[in-house]
Amino acid sequence: MPTSENFDQLLERFGSATFSAEPDSWNMDTDAQNPSDANETYRYEYGVPVQTVDAFLRLPSPVVSSWCSDVNPAGFLVNQATKCTRAVKVEQCGNTQALSMLFYINSSILAVPKSSQTVNITVQSIVVQTLNGMRTLPNGSDVLRLPMILDELCINIVLGVSYHITYTDAGEIIEAAAAFVLGAINEETLSIQQSFEISFTQVNTNPVPLSGNPGYVVGLPVRAGFRPQGSGIIKNADEYRQLTVLQSTSNQDCLAAQGARTPVLFGYNMVSGCKLRITAAMKCQPLTQTLLDLLKGQSFPEYVASFGNSQAQDVLDWVPITHLHTSDQSSCQIPVALEIEVKWTKYGSLVNPQARIVNVTATITTTALKQLPSGRERTIPIMSSVVFTDISSPAEPGYKAWPTINIKLPFDFFFPFV
């Protein structure tokens, strides 16, 4: 808390454009361990800075302004993507550390905090970007390309870095890789924009595909799954098999189309169907079950993700599917249509609204099946449909109320005019 006594001291420490906020607990001296910590097993936990042999893994980012600050630590399991601006000069490009690949890979990562076991950062790929923005793969086999001046250009400067960290379920980092985008600048270039990303993947697992981050992207599959008692959401590994409808076939035969499904894609209204030939020998109950399996598939989900990046363990980010039935009063009712209505809304800022699903309704429509005379046949249409409804309220920008000015003038302010 600033006071009149310590203000000058705080100004000297925090008054610059950027400052390091490393607490004393981030001491990287692994040799000076407490005796009580000798038998303790360390591991990375969510959000803890990824430690290196000299400090921590840095992910440059804008702090006070758009200029890059190199003191932003990368947090374990925290996927990040940043962009910032960095001042450059051709004659000094070889001496600017942040423009060289070595700055991002020359410090090994500690496998676990306060450990002597290290993991080297390997170069996964290199892409070269020309002055006009075209990107190509380099011809040579050089893994390390350092900035150098060539024909009044400074080439091989870092424009982007993407880290990929592989870890175990015990919180240990076992592999680290970096993908680079290198570019060039000329004497007219005063600043460049650099982009940085970091992602984490558990060993022996595949990355979970998303349908948006956070809001849904039009054309990507709607994510859905089941929730057993006392558990999180369980999803199909194939995102295109989580929420599906009947797929139309060329011959329009329902019995031949069993098993053919098409995914529900966000924002795409769909209608599909087939024709079912009913004979007098068909019984009501088996036919009803066959049509239900045809319309809903073998495993119709119970929940739908509100956002494109909703996690399975965050149950509150999933919307339950409401099931409705419309039927006539009859002894034998067979399902003939499935209508899925997805209501969504724009969520967040007016500048960059995100699509969020707020309600999903699955309606089964049935019809009466009358007994046919022997030897007669009847053909009925079976239909599935998906409708996306935008229920967003009209976007209205909000403004703060004008401040009220409470002023009092002396009684003789306008003397001698009044």
Side-chain angles (χ1 to χ4, degrees), residues 189-355:
T189 306
L190 300 178
S191 64
I192 60 172
Q193 185 181 64
Q194 293 180 308
S195 60
F196 303 92
E197 294 183 14
I198 186 169
S199 59
F200 296 83
T201 302
Q202 186 174 332
V203 66
N204 297 328
T205 60
N206 296 323
V208 178
L210 303 178
S211 295
N213 189 23
Y216 275 97
V217 176
V218 175
L220 294 183
V222 174
R223 304 172 66 224
F226 304 89
R227 183 192 177 191
Q229 185 69 26
S231 174
I233 303 297
I234 298 178
K235 312 183 303 296
N236 192 316
D238 185 0
E239 68 272 21
Y240 288 92
R241 292 289 181 183
Q242 294 178 5
L243 181 61
T244 61
V245 293
L246 171 67
Q247 180 177 348
S248 299
T249 58
S250 57
N251 56 13
Q252 292 292 301
D253 187 358
C254 288
L255 298 181
Q258 280 186 303
R261 312 290 295 177
T262 186
V264 176
L265 305 179
F266 183 82
Y268 286 6
N269 296 337
M270 295 184 293
V271 177
S272 61
C274 59
K275 294 181 179 180
L276 178 66
R277 187 176 58 183
I278 300 177
T279 62
M282 290 183 174
K283 303 298 182 181
C284 180
Q285 190 64 29
L287 180 60
T288 299
Q289 188 60 45
T290 299
L291 291 178
L292 279 177
D293 294 341
L294 181 69
L295 291 172
K296 302 177 68 173
Q298 295 297 324
S299 56
F300 195 78
E302 300 172 349
Y303 287 81
V304 167
S306 297
F307 295 99
N309 66 347
S310 296
Q311 301 299 315
Q313 63 270 21
D314 299 331
V315 180
L316 295 180
D317 279 347
W318 294 74
V319 178
I321 298 177
T322 303
H323 295 271
L324 300 178
H325 296 270
T326 60
S327 61
D328 299 329
Q329 297 297 327
S330 177
S331 58
C332 180
Q333 298 285 330
I334 59 172
V336 294
L338 169 63
E339 179 183 352
I340 300 176
E341 183 182 16
V342 181
K343 295 181 180 180
W344 65 280
T345 182
K346 296 182 180 70
Y347 179 83
S349 170
L350 293 175
V351 179
N352 185 25
Q354 303 294 311

Side-chain angles (χ1 to χ4, degrees), residues 101 105 121-126 138 140-146 178 180 182:
M101 292 177 57
I105 63 174
I121 303 177
T122 61
V123 178
Q124 188 178 41
S125 64
I126 297 177
S141 58
D142 297 337
V143 177
L144 187 63
R145 293 171 173 259
L146 300 180
F180 289 89
L182 304 182

